[in-house]
Every structure is written in structure tokens, then in C-alpha cells.
């Protein structure tokens, strides 16, 4: 090895270093260190003469190692490396000592110690550089494509500059249109040219430019790679409208039933869920706003789109609403009455006041059809060859048949009883579910083409297959009655609830005695009790072994039963049925108490010894549960230990291929809607089975529940309750008890819906779109692009002044933010440009409050830079278009830009009142007559030195521009920094204002700091030129400080391979043994492999063990031979 | 006798903590000159042997600092650093050094004031603790400047 000759150069940096650190002394000291051949100090090492010192020493003195002690290496290491390289020295034989940022500046108060520390740092650098080795520098080509993130004025300008330079740009915009904040502005100061007029042409250019690929509704998901060679993964969220087909006719918005505040108009007007993002939208296409699935819809086992039909009801579209229910299932009339409505439990409105009456609204549309008579349904054409048999015509069987026939299968339903409907017909009494309603729902299914064969029990599955059916669905229900197993159960006068209800519903004449006891606590028990009352029983008592809380019957049913005079004896269970002369006479019961919870989570009742009591009765109805009646089912099937049919829990297939089962026969007695859901699941399985595709793959799609439903605009309004039949009209009659809403109530109730998901998927828009542009099934798409550089222009957000309670924003109607006022003065805005108060009057006086959230240590300490000027603009516009008096409350007027001061002067001359002072409070508490009906702005006028009260009609808050709330996520995605205030950090505030610490990533516009349009445009063009200059250079050098492996000591253990995030090392076989090999193109030089390497074989070039340990020794002044 | 001035070695990642120290300087935040920064590319690059070397050389305290978990230039360096640090802590304990002499920090680019505070607090903590038991070793090995 040639002799090491180190040159040390200590910079003064003017007085930045030399003011604290004695640079001359440091250089003198450096000259005494081993291997140092020359040590110099100089005023500005980074200047040309400074760099020449190094170059000359290399050339003339044969210096072969260089140390510069100056500012941060993050600033000038590249400068001096280049100087070395220019003089023919490998740049990795250079080391940098940071004696400014890490020494002179933070230790400015102690010159002696700062100088000592600088010596330590130089000594360490000398020690390190001694061990440094020359590295090979490689170059890679730069991909000429550029990614621009953000479609505001900054992004638009940068994209156009690059695209005009004939380079490809991918523009990613989160919203449905580009335009950003600037397109929301009415006019721009100080020239007052309208923002639309100057921006729209640029937006259109961007949309049509052959070199710009615009991706709206899109976000960057993942970034990898390095300068010149980035890979970017972009998520394109669905717009649900095909941009190429949409001709912006607006028919979809006309029929859309859902209204939400229009973000573009700052919530001052409403828009539909199908909407044009802004009048000049680019791309010029409507979009559909979906925020997720409404909780009611997710809660529904049958997947009925409750939000959708409620939205349609709110528009008086009752037929369409019913059509939407029937897209999911055929039982609007039935489930509108007997559903246990899990949807209402989840209803977001319930968190505000009370849940929407979802079930009753469904019933209303079903009743509306009955009242208006529905048109005959056109049968569905059979398009599939296979026939399906369904056994049982209850809710599960019919729901399955209904879904299958709509898929084009021929379906036959076999029913053993004389009429179709199963438990709906024979289990639920008429006062709850009139036969007319059930018949309507069933005949709808039949009219579609489902064949129902009644009185046709099925005994043998093979026979069904022989008849040509390719698949079978068994949904025969749980028809058996559970026995109590107590003495006397077989006495005449004791009847089981299902048998009893079956007879009642079949119209059999039943004679009951005066006193009836019903045992049980489910819906069947309450149904039997209320039916008994209607059949003439005088005294009906329900005996239930647990308490009210555990009762499984629908609570409103229990309440109505009690209204009708039924007594409920809680915590008791029968022990014996007594008879006299073979005739039922009494029932003996025992009192129970609640013990520990059982498997169902309900507390298990335990008998209390010696508490037996008897009740005289004429009839006992037992309703303690239903069982599956195996005798009525085909022989070939398997059963669970519960006595229900055994099926696969997901596919509902039995052990026989092609035979499926669902509903009560599988689940045991359950809600109607659960049975419907099972029927639908079976239909999916049968369709898949018949098409020969997997029954399970990609079957379960979990809908995304909507988050954060806004209740801001909701007004308290009680839930509409359904009218009930009068008590005295119920006796002896099976007339329906619960009645329907009238149209007005239904519409009012439907309007209570918060439209959680925004788009309700009512699909009315699809019907009217002549272009066929709407597709509600669109999904997220992922696009991967390769780019050489990226420009972030993600903009800002407006500070929310409601966090300053004393300013009354959102409390007083006429306290507005700047952006809201922009929309008010805009001719295309919600007031067509008329400056007016909420009530439509023209204001007589307006206060403009500067620095709201800016220059305020409670919120943001920085100045937002644009507020003074747009505050003046507002004053100008108010003066021009109204007779109002204007008050500007300012702290300092900052009118620094071109023609700004002149504008200030002009506005001052218009008679605007300028008050220097920060506003303390905005209140409606008046003092005296002249303040009546006004908002009072109180402030200290710091020029007069006294408190003032100014009564005004309108207040405009010049709210701060702040970093976007997700700026931290974006910063980490692109590996750039943020300042404390959240804005993105530039590499250097003066000399590298659009660069970031990640080479190849540039920033422009308000994501870096608040600024006005001209500055933003200038910065965007600067970022574009940075990207273009990189492209035109065509190549970049790659990181030379990467990992390497000393094969002679590598054991091939694979720990490096395991720890590496970038898959750079791999274990290969060389000369018959395993060793690690590094793929340098993938290595980022993070050094993790060297840490885990047990032998020290893996090391990082330029950061190897000798170099680092040498540096540490040097810092601590330790000498090791 | 002059007041004891502890020597602190800070192993800092280039992207966050080193930049935070730069920011502290640029913002002229003042802190005592006891800390020396060793620039590493990533906190996941810090080898336990470097830290042990610093203690062996007589450092009174060592700070291992890098990015927060979400900011890493190399995606998951801080996680790797945590794993290394857990082992290192046990080693330092076995060597008989006080646990307080070794600190793990996460200081991001924008946290210049945090960097200064951490150094300030560590200096006063080490002053309370007194010189490292190994500092006598350091004096015996002290480099002799060539006259």
C-alpha cells in the first residue's frame, strides 16, 4: 500500500464557524496528527479558491486522503467529493467533519470547548479516512417518466411543463376532478382576474395532453426504488362512472335520491350522491360517491339494501323501492311484518336519537303495492339446462327458489301441506301476518316461474334425481314439537303450540276453555297466547321459566300481549299436569331462580325446592321449542347431535353431492330472515355446483362498513310509530293489529335516514343513463408505473376555526371562512355571486378577521402569507357590490408581492375601516339598541389603545392554511421529512427549495409552506425543471456504499438473507460450499446484514468495522497500535 | 479540579437523528458539547460491537438513535435496531456498567429541539452518575500527539 498522506482543511464559514471555533488552532492541531501531510484553514472552503486548495494539494503534494471540517456533510459532502474526483482522487477517500451544525452553532456560548470538540471531530475524521478505501462508482440510466402527485395548480403547472417538454407524466389526484383549491377561488388578488377563467384552460390541457396520463380518484400506495428508477403502485378507486362514456348529461343526478353537502361549495349547497365534482370538472364526467356500506344493510342476514329503499321512499318512489327490496329477496310484505329487524339495532340514527323504522317502511311499500295492485310479473326465461328441486315452501325454500329462477334455472318446490308458505302460513297467526300479504309475496315468486307442488311430500332423494333434477335443496323446517317430559303431558286438553297454531291458521274450529296456560317464552308462546284470547279464552297466562330480560319473543309482541290482558308468570316451570276424571284440571308449577349463565349466555333457571303451586286450567299449550321431525325426511341424511341436519357450514351441502339443506331444518327454530338468508346461500352453492365451479373460492365478500357517519346536519325527530288496532276491536278477531304508515308519514320517516353510505345503490341512475356509463360493481384497480422522478404537490387544508370557540364559527350562521366567502361571491356559486346573509338579506356591515389560526401560538405560529391579501380582496368586492361598511381586523398588513401594496392603497381609499388588533370574541350578546340583531366583534384597537365593540351582520374569518392531516403518511410514503408545523421539509430553505432528502423527489406549492398562486406556479415550474434536468442528464450514479461479503470467512449461514428487507443477499454454492452473495442492484446499504453476520464476513463498504471503530477511537482519543 | 465532563457517543442514523442534530444547529438551539455523533446510514446498521468499543474506549454514555418506526428510509431499520439493542443491553449489564449509560432514542428530522434536550438531560444524568468505570482505561491509552 502506498503511503497514506492526509490533507485536512478547516473551514471558517465566514464567522459561522470561526466566530466560535478557532479554525486556525484546529488546523494547527490537525497538522500534528499521524499521517497528516498538510493541514490548512480557509474562509470559505466551499468556494472555488477553497476547493482549489484541495485539488492543488492532491496534484502537487500527492495527497491521497482528504478531510474537510466545515458544515454538515448533508450539505457539502457532495461538493468536496466532487472536488476530489475532479483532481483524480476516488471520492470515497474523502471524509467530512461537521464542525458547524454539530459544533459552532449549538455551542456558540463556549468557544474553548467548541474548539476542543472541533479538534476531536477532526482527529476522528483523520482516523476514519486512514482506513477508507476507493469504491467503484456505477451509473444507471434515468427513466424519463415523471409522477406528479396532486392535481391543484402546482401539480397542473408541473405536469404541463414536463409534458410540453415531450416527457410522459403520470398525474395522480385523490379527488374526482383536478383543480385543487384554486378552482374554488372566485377571483385572485391583486388583479382580481377570475380563477376559473385562468385555471380552466390549464385543467383542460392537462386532461387532454397526449403526454399526461391523468388518474383521478387515485392514491399512491407504495413507492420503491431510487432516483431515476422508482416503482410506484397506485390505487385507482372506483368512480362508478365510465369517464369515456359519460357525456355529463346529468340525468343520474336528477334521479339520485341522496343529498349530501357539496364539498366544492364548502357545504353551502347540497349535491347528489351522483354528482359532477365541479362545473368545470376534468375529467368532465359525473362520479358516484360511495363511502362504504350502510350498517343496516350489513346487519341484514338477507342483505336487503335498506338504505336504498328508504332513500327511494323519501322521494315517493314506492314501486321502485319495492323493486329494490325484491332484488335481495321476495318477502317484502312478510318481513315488513315479522322480521326481528337486526338492521334497526345497527342504525346510525339510533346513535343520534332513535333508529329509523326500517321494518315498518318495508311493510309500507309492500302494502302500497297491495293497495294499488301490482302489474302482472313477466315470467323469467329459463336459460340453464339444469332443473332444481326444493323441498319445503317456507321462507328458506322459497328464497332459494326465487334466487335460482332469476339465475335462469327451472325450479320446482315440493310442499307436503295443502298450501305453500310453511311456517309463515301455518305458524304465524293472521293478526300478525294476514294471509293476503303472504299470498301476494308467494304469487310473485310463482309468477316469475317457480312451480310449487303442494301435497307432495318427498320420501326418497334418489327418486327426485331420477325425475331429472340436478340439485336438491331441503328446507323442510323444524316441524316437531319438543315435549316437556312431565307427568300428564298426554292428557286431553294439552296441546303443543305448533299443532295449535297450525289448526288456527288452517281455520279449524277450536274450542278452548276459559282458562288457558301457555308454557314457553318464544314467539310461538306469545302467538299461541294471543290467538287463544282471540278464540274466546277469558284468562290466558304465559308461564316462562326465566325473567323478562331473557325472553326470546319480540319485545313489542310481549308488550302487546300484556296490553291485551295476557298475564305472564315469570320464573316458573310446570312440574305436573293434573286431571280429574280424565279431563285436564290444573297445572302444578315450581318457582325458579336464575343461576349461572349457560351455553347461550342466558342465566340458567334453577328450581327452588318446596315452592310448588298449582293453577286451575282448562287448556295447556306447550311452546317450549321445535324439533326437526326426522320421520318426515328422506332416509339418506345425517344428523347432528342436536337432531338437525348435518351440512357444511359455508356451502350448506349435505354429505350427498348436489343435496343442500338450510333453514330451520339445519339451524333449529330461528328467525324468518335467517331462513331467507340460508335459502340465498344455498342458491349460491347450487348455482356454483351446477356450473361446476368451486363452492368455496372467493365466496365470502366482506362489505366495507361506512366509517364516521356525519350527524352534523341531523335535526332531532322522534321515530314514527306504526298505528295499532284498538284493543276492543281485537277481541274475537284475527284482524291485523299493527297497521301501516300513511304516505306522508312514510316519506317523513324515510327522510330521517342519514344515508350512511352516501350512494344508496338504489340503481335508479343506471336506469336513466342512456350511455350505459354507470357501473356500481367497479372495484379498486392497482396500477404499477415506473418513473425516474416524482413531484409532490399535495397542497394544504383550511384550518377549522370551530376549534376557536370564541369566534362562533358553526355557531352563528353568518360567521364564514374565507373559502366559504369565495363561493358566495362566485357567480357560479350557491348565491349566484350575490353577497348575502343566510336569510337572503344583503349585509349592512362586514368584519374581516385576519390571522385566524395563524401567527397564534395556540394554533399555528407561522404566517399563512395569503390572508392579508385575500382579506383586502373581500373588502374590495364587498365595497364594489354592496353598500356595506367593511372592517378589517389585522395584526400587521403584509403586502409584499408585486402590485400588492398598490392594491392595499386602493382598497384603503375605498373607505374600508382598518383596525389594528386581534379579535378577542364574536358574540350575539347585545348591549344596547344599535347592536340588536347583530354579531358583535370585540377587539383591542392597539392604535387607540382601547377595547372596541363593532356590531356587524357578517364576519369572514381568514383561516390559516395548514398542512394536510395526512401529510405525515405521505411524507413517510415518499421518505421525505416534515417540519414541526407538518409541511414538507425542503433540502435547503434558500438554495434547494424544491428538493427533498430523497433524491429524485421534488416538492411544489402549499405542501411545502403556505403561498399564493404566483409563487406556487413558480415553484411548480422549478420542480418540473429539476425533473427535466435529471431526465436530460440521462443517468445517475448508484450507491457505492453497499454490502459485500468476504467469501473466505463466510459460512453460508443465511442470517443476512433472512434479515434483508430488500432481498439483496442470497446463499449460493461456490466451490462446493455455501456462501452469501450480494446483488448490489438491490442493496440499499442499510447495513442490517453486517450486524447479524456472526463471522464479520458481511460488511458495508465505506461503513466497515475498521472505519467505524477507528472513528470511535479517534473521538475518544484512544490510540491502539 | 475541573468539573467532570462526560463523553457521549451518539450513533445516529443519517436520515433522521443526524438531520435532527443538523436542525438543532441550524436553529441555534444550544446544548453542551459533550456529545459526538457517529453518522450511520441506518439505526439498523449499528453493530453492538461499535457500542462496546465506545464503552471500552471510555465513553461515559452512549445513545443509539434513529428514525421513528414509520419514517425509516430502509423501511424497518428501527425494528432491527430494537432487536440488536435488546441484546446489547444485556451485554452492557454483564460488563457491570450502569444501565443508565446506554440509551435508545428515536428522533426524527424535524425534532432538533428534542435532540438538544436528550443530550442536555443525558449530560446531567451522567454527571450525577460520575465517570464510567472504564474511563481509567481510556486515560492509559490516550493518544500521544506527535509533537
Amino acid at each position: 500500500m502506498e503511503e497514506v498522506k492526509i490533507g485536512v482543511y478547516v473551514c471558517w464559514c465566514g464567522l459561522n464557524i470561526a466566530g466560535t471555533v478557532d479554525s486556525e488552532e484546529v488546523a494547527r492541531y490537525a497538522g500534528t496528527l499521524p499521517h497528516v501531510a498538510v493541514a490548512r484553514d480557509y474562509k470559505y472552503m466551499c468556494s472555488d479558491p477553497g476547493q482549489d486548495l484541495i485539488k492543488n494539494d492532491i496534484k502537487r503534494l500527492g495527497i491521497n486522503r482528504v478531510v474537510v471540517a466545515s458544515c454538515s456533510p448533508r450539505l457539502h459532502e457532495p461538493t468536496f467529493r466532487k472536488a476530489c474526483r475532479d483532481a483524480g482522487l476516488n471520492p470515497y477517500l474523502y471524509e467530512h467533519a461537521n464542525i458547524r451544525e454539530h459544533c459552532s452553532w449549538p455551542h456558540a456560548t463556549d468557544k474553548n470547548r467548541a474548539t476542543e470538540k472541533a479538534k476531536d471531530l477532526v482527529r476522528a475524521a483523520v482516523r476514519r479516512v486512514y482506513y477508507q478505501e476507493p469504491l467503484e462508482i456505477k451509473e444507471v440510466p434515468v427513466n424519463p417518466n415523471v409522477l406528479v402527485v396532486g392535481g391543484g395548480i402546482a401539480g397542473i403547472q408541473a405536469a404541463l411543463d414536463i409534458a410540453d417538454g415531450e416527457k410522459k407524466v403520470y398525474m395522480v389526484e385523490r379527488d374526482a376532478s383536478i383543480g385543487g383549491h384554486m378552482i374554488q377561488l372566485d377571483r385572485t388578488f391583486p388583479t382580481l382576474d377570475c380563477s376559473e377563467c385562468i385555471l380552466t384552460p390549464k385543467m383542460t390541457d392537462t386532461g387532454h395532453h397526449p403526454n399526461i396520463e391523468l388518474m383521478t380518484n387515485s392514491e399512491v400506495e407504495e413507492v420503491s426504488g431510487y432516483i431515476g428508477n422508482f416503482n410506484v403502485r397506485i390505487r385507482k378507486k372506483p368512480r362508478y362512472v365510465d369517464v369515456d362514456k359519460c357525456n355529463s348529461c346529468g340525468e343520474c343526478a336528477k334521479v339520485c335520491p341522496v343529498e349530501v353537502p357539496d364539498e366544492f361549495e364548502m357545504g353551502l349547497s347540497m349535491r347528489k350522491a351522483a354528482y359532477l365534482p365541479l362545473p368545470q370538472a376534468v375529467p368532465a364526467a359525473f362520479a358516484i360517491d360511495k363511502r362504504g356500506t350502510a350498517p343496516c344493510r350489513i346487519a341484514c342476514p338477507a342483505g336487503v339494501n335498506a338504505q336504498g329503499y328508504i332513500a327511494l321512499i323519501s322521494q315517493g318512489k314506492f314501486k321502485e323501492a319495492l323493486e329494490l327490496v325484491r332484488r335481495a329477496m321476495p318477502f317484502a310484505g312478510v318481513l315488513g311484518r315479522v322480521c326481528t329487524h337486526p338492521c334497526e339495532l345497527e342504525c346510525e340514527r339510533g346513535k343520534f336519537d332513535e333508529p329509523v323504522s326500517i321494518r315498518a317502511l318495508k311493510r309500507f311499500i309492500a302494502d302500497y303495492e297491495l293497495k294499488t295492485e301490482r302489474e302482472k310479473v313477466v315470467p323469467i326465461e329459463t336459460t340453464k339446462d339444469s332443473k332444481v328441486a326444493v323441498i319445503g315452501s317456507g321462507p328458506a325454500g322459497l328464497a332459494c327458489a326465487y334466487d335460482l329462477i332469476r339465475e335462469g334455472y327451472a325450479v320446482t318446490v315440493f310442499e307436503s301441506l295443502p298450501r305453500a308458505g310453511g311456517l309463515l302460513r301455518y305458524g304465524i297467526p293472521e293478526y300478525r301476518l294476514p294471509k293476503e300479504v303472504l299470498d301476494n309475496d308467494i304469487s310473485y315468486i310463482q309468477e316469475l316461474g317457480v312451480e310449487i307442488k303442494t301435497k307432495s311430500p318427498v320420501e326418497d332423494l334418489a327418486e327426485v334425481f331420477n325425475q331429472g333434477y340436478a340439485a336438491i335443496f331441503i328446507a323442510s323446517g323444524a316441524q316437531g314439537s319438543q315435549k316437556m317430559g312431565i307427568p300428564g303431558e298426554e292428557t286431553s286438553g294439552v296441546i303443543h303450540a305448533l299443532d295449535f297454531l297450525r289448526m288456527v291458521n288452517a281455520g279449524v274450529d277450536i274450542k278452548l276453555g276459559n282458562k288457558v296456560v301457555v308454557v314457553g317464552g318464544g314467539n310461538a308462546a306469545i302467538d299461541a297466547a294471543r290467538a287463544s284470547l282471540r278464540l274466546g279464552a277469558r284468562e290466558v297466562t304465559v308461564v316462562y321459566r326465566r325473567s323478562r330480560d331473557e325472553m326470546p319473543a319480540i319485545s313489542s309482541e310481549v308488550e302487546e300481549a300484556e296490553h291485551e290482558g295476557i298475564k305472564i308468570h315469570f320464573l316458573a316451570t310446570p312440574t305436573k299436569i293434573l286431571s280429574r276424571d280424565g279431563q285436564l284440571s290444573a297445572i302444578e308449577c315450581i318457582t325458579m331462580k336464575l343461576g349461572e349463565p349457560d351455553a347461550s349466555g342466558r342465566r340458567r333457571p334453577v328450581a327452588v325446592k318446596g315452592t310448588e303451586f298449582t293453577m286451575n286450567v282448562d287448556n295447556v299449550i306447550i311452546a317450549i321449542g321445535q324439533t326437526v321431525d326426522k320421520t318426515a325426511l328422506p332416509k339418506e341424511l345425517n344428523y347432528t347431535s342436536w337432531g338437525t341436519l348435518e351440512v357444511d357450514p359455508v356451502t350448506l351441502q349435505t354429505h350427498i353431492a348436489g343435496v343442500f339443506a338450510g333453514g330451520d331444518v339445519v339451524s333449529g327454530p330461528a328467525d324468518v330472515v335467517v331462513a331467507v338468508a340460508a335459502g340465498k346461500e344455498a342458491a349460491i352453492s347450487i348455482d356454483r355446483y351446477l356450473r361446476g365451479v368451486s363452492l368455496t373460492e372467493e365466496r365470502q365478500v366482506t362489505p366495507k362498513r361506512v366509517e364516521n357517519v356525519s350527524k352534523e346536519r341531523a335535526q332531532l325527530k322522534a321515530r314514527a310509530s306504526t298505528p295499532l288496532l284498538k284493543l276492543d276491536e281485537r277481541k274475537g278477531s284475527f284482524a291485523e293489529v299493527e297497521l301501516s304508515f300513511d304516505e306522508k308519514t312514510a316519506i317523513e320517516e324515510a327522510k330521517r335516514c342519514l344515508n350512511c353510505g352516501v350512494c344508496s345503490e338504489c340503481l335508479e341512475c343506471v336506469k336513466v343513463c342512456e350511455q350505459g356509463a354507470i357501473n356500481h360493481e367497479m372495484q379498486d384497480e392497482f396500477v404499477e408505473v415506473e418513473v425516474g422522478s416524482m413531484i409532490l404537490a399535495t397542497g394544504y387544508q383550511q384550518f377549522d376555526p370551530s376549534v376557536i370557540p370564541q369566534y362562533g364559527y358553526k355557531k352563528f350562521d353568518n360567521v364564514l371562512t374565507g373559502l366559504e366567502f369565495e363561493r358566495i361571491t362566485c357567480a357560479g356559486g350557491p348565491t349566484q355571486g350575490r353577497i348575502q346573509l343566510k336569510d337572503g338579506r344583503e349585509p349592512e356591515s362586514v368584519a374581516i378577521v385576519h390571522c385566524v389560526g395563524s401567527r397564534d401560538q395556540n394554533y399555528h405560529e407561522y404566517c399563512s402569507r395569503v390572508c392579508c391579501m385575500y382579506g383586502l380582496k373581500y373588502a374590495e368586492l364587498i365595497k364594489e357590490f354592496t353598500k356595506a361598511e367593511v372592517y378589517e381586523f389585522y395584526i400587521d398588513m403584509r403586502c409584499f408581492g408585486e402590485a400588492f401594496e398598490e392594491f392595499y392603497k386602493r382598497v384603503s381609499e375605498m373607505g374600508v375601516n382598518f383596525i389594528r388588533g386581534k379579535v378577542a370574541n364574536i358574540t350575539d350578546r347585545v348591549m344596547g339598541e344599535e347592536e340588536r340583531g347583530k354579531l358583535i366583534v370585540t377587539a383591542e384597537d392597539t392604535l387607540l389603545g382601547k377595547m372596541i365593540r363593532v356590531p356587524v351582520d357578517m364576519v369572514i374569518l381568514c383561516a390559516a392554511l395548514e398542512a394536510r392531516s395526512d401529510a405525515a403518511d405521505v411524507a413517510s410514503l415518499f421518505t421525505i421529512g416534515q417540519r414541526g408545523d407538518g409541511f414538507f421539509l425542503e433540502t435547503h430553505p434558500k438554495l434547494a427549495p424544491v428538493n427533498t432528502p430523497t433524491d429524485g423527489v421534488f416538492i411544489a406549492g402549499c405542501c411545502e409552506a403556505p403561498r399564493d398562486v404566483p409563487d406556487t406556479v413558480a415553484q411548480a415550474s422549478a420542480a418540473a425543471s429539476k425533473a427535466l434536468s435529471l431526465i436530460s442528464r440521462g443517468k445517475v450514479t448508484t450507491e457505492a456504499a453497499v454490502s459485500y461479503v468476504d467469501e473466505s470467512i463466510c459460512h453460508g449461514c443465511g442470517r443476512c438473507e433472512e434479515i434483508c428487507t430488500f432481498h439483496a443477499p442470497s446463499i449460493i454454492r461456490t466451490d462446493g460450499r455455501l456462501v452469501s452473495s450480494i446483488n448490489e442492484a438491490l442493496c440499499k446499504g442499510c447495513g442490517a446484514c453486517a450486524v447479524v453476520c456472526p463471522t464479520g464476513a458481511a460488511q458495508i463498504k465505506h461503513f466497515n468495522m475498521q472505519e467505524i471503530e477507528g472513528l470511535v477511537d479517534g473521538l475518544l482519543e484512544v490510540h491502539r497500535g | 479540579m475541573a468539573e467532570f465532563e462526560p463523553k457521549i457517543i451518539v450513533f445516529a442514523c443519517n436520515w433522521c437523528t443526524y438531520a435532527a442534530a443538523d436542525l438543532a444547529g441550524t436553529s441555534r438551539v444550544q446544548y453542551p458539547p459533550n456529545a459526538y455523533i457517529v453518522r450511520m446510514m441506518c439505526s439498523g446498521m449499528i453493530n453492538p460491537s461499535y457500542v462496546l468499543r465506545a464503552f471500552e474506549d471510555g465513553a461515559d454514555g452512549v445513545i443509539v438513535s434513529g428514525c421513528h418506526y414509520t419514517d425509516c428510509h430502509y423501511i424497518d431499520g428501527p425494528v432491527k435496531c430494537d432487536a440488536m439493542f435488546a441484546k446489547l443491553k444485556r451485554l452492557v449489564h454483564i460488563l457491570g456498567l450502569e444501565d443508565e449509560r446506554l440509551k435508545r432514542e428515536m428522533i426524527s428530522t424535524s425534532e432538533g429541539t428534542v435532540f438538544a434536550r436528550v443530550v442536555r438531560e443525558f449530560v446531567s444524568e451522567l454527571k450525577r452518575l460520575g465517570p464510567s468505570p472504564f474511563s481509567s482505561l481510556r486515560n492509559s491509552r490516550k493518544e500521544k500527539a506527535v509533537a
Side-chain angles (χ1 to χ4, degrees), chain A residues 21-42:
Chain A
V21 169
D22 184 344
S23 298
E24 288 172 285
E25 164 64 17
V26 174
R28 227 180 350 261
Y29 169 76
T32 66
L33 295 172
H35 308 296
V36 173
V38 62
R40 303 181 194 277
D41 60 287
Y42 190 70

Side-chain angles (χ1 to χ4, degrees), chain A residues 854-921:
Chain A
S854 317
R855 306 187 70 198
D856 183 332
Q857 56 186 4
N858 297 315
Y859 307 103
H860 299 303
E861 291 190 27
Y862 57 82
C863 164
S864 288
R865 280 174 59 111
V866 291
C867 318
C868 285
M869 290 308 296
Y870 76 66
L872 288 175
K873 173 183 76 179
Y874 296 159
E876 210 272 2
L877 292 173
I878 296 164
K879 279 289 180 194
E880 190 179 335
F881 295 110
T882 72
K883 295 190 182 69
E885 202 60 47
V886 179
Y887 302 88
E888 295 259 4
F889 290 87
Y890 68 100
I891 305 178
D892 297 293
M893 287 306 294
R894 296 185 163 176
C895 309
F896 49 83
E898 184 187 329
F900 287 10
E901 185 63 25
E902 294 83 338
F903 186 66
Y904 178 24
K905 187 155 180 272
R906 183 153 72 89
V907 173
S908 310
E909 285 163 359
M910 292 175 94
V912 173
N913 305 290
F914 285 87
I915 298 163
R916 183 170 175 273
K918 194 168 170 66
V919 168
N921 192 17

Side-chain angles (χ1 to χ4, degrees), chain A residues 16 29 32-34 72-74 77 98 101-102 105-109 113-114 117 120-121 123 127 972 975 977-980 985 997-998 1059-1062 1084-1088 1090-1091 1099-1100 1103-1105 1108-1109 1111-1113 1115-1120, chain B residues 5 7 9 11 14-15 18-19 21-22 24-26 28-42 44-50 53-54 56-59 70-76 80 84 109-110 138 141-147:
Chain A
N16 281 310
Y29 169 76
T32 66
L33 295 172
S72 172
R74 292 163 54 85
E77 187 180 57
N98 183 348
E101 280 83 348
H102 292 188
W105 278 347
H107 313 316
T109 50
R113 292 192 61 202
K117 179 171 173 180
D120 293 341
L121 293 171
R123 183 178 56 241
R127 191 71 73 84
S972 108
T975 335
Q978 282 176 288
R979 279 191 297 273
L985 186 64
T998 301
I1059 196 140
C1060 182
T1061 309
F1062 309 100
K1084 307 275 184 246
C1086 75
V1091 175
Q1099 291 281 316
I1100 307 300
F1103 284 90
N1104 67 32
M1105 204 169 269
I1108 302 302
E1109 290 182 352
L1111 181 77
V1112 171
D1113 290 350
L1115 286 171
L1116 292 163
E1117 229 182 329
V1118 169
H1119 186 66
R1120 294 164 190 259
Chain B
E5 290 294 348
K7 293 262 183 202
I9 299 292
F11 290 96
N14 175 57
W15 308 97
Y18 194 94
D22 277 0
T26 314
R28 312 295 201 278
V29 181
Q30 299 295 305
Y31 58 89
N34 304 52
Y36 300 94
I37 297 176
V38 178
R39 179 156 75 130
M40 308 297 287
M41 292 313 285
C42 176
M45 184 189 246
I46 302 166
N47 200 314
S49 72
Y50 302 158
R53 178 79 158 211
E56 193 188 343
D57 284 352
T70 52
D71 298 347
C72 180
H73 195 77
Y74 306 101
I75 302 172
D76 53 359
K80 294 168 183 165
M84 177 285 294
T109 321
S110 57
R138 169 171 175 257
R141 286 176 169 173
K142 203 159 175 177
E143 190 168 352
K144 299 279 180 297
V146 181

Side-chain angles (χ1 to χ4, degrees), chain A residues 78 225-230 788-790 974-976 987 995-1002 1030 1036-1037 1039, chain B residues 15 73:
Chain A
Y226 51 94
I227 180 171
N229 299 275
F230 292 108
S789 56
M790 305 189 278
F974 291 91
T975 335
I976 61 171
T987 304
N995 293 67
T996 68
T998 301
D999 292 337
V1001 178
F1002 308 107
L1030 184 65
V1036 284
T1037 51
E1039 184 53 67
Chain B
W15 308 97
H73 195 77

Side-chain angles (χ1 to χ4, degrees), chain A residues 341-404:
Chain A
H341 51 77
C343 49
E344 292 184 17
L345 285 178
E346 293 295 320
C347 178
E348 281 282 327
R349 179 92 201 191
K351 296 180 188 165
F352 179 71
D353 45 25
E354 291 176 292
V356 175
S357 269
I358 304 176
R359 185 186 74 179
L361 284 171
K362 178 158 56 234
R363 173 202 168 134
F364 165 78
I365 45 177
D367 286 3
Y368 182 82
E369 180 181 74
L370 272 179
K371 217 165 59 189
T372 52
E373 283 192 23
R374 85 178 136 80
E375 295 150 26
K376 198 86 177 155
V377 185
V378 186
I380 289 171
E381 211 177 305
T382 313
T383 54
K384 307 260 169 62
D385 296 335
S386 320
K387 288 197 299 178
V388 181
V390 172
I391 303 172
S393 67
L398 290 181
C400 178
Y402 177 73
D403 279 6
L404 286 172

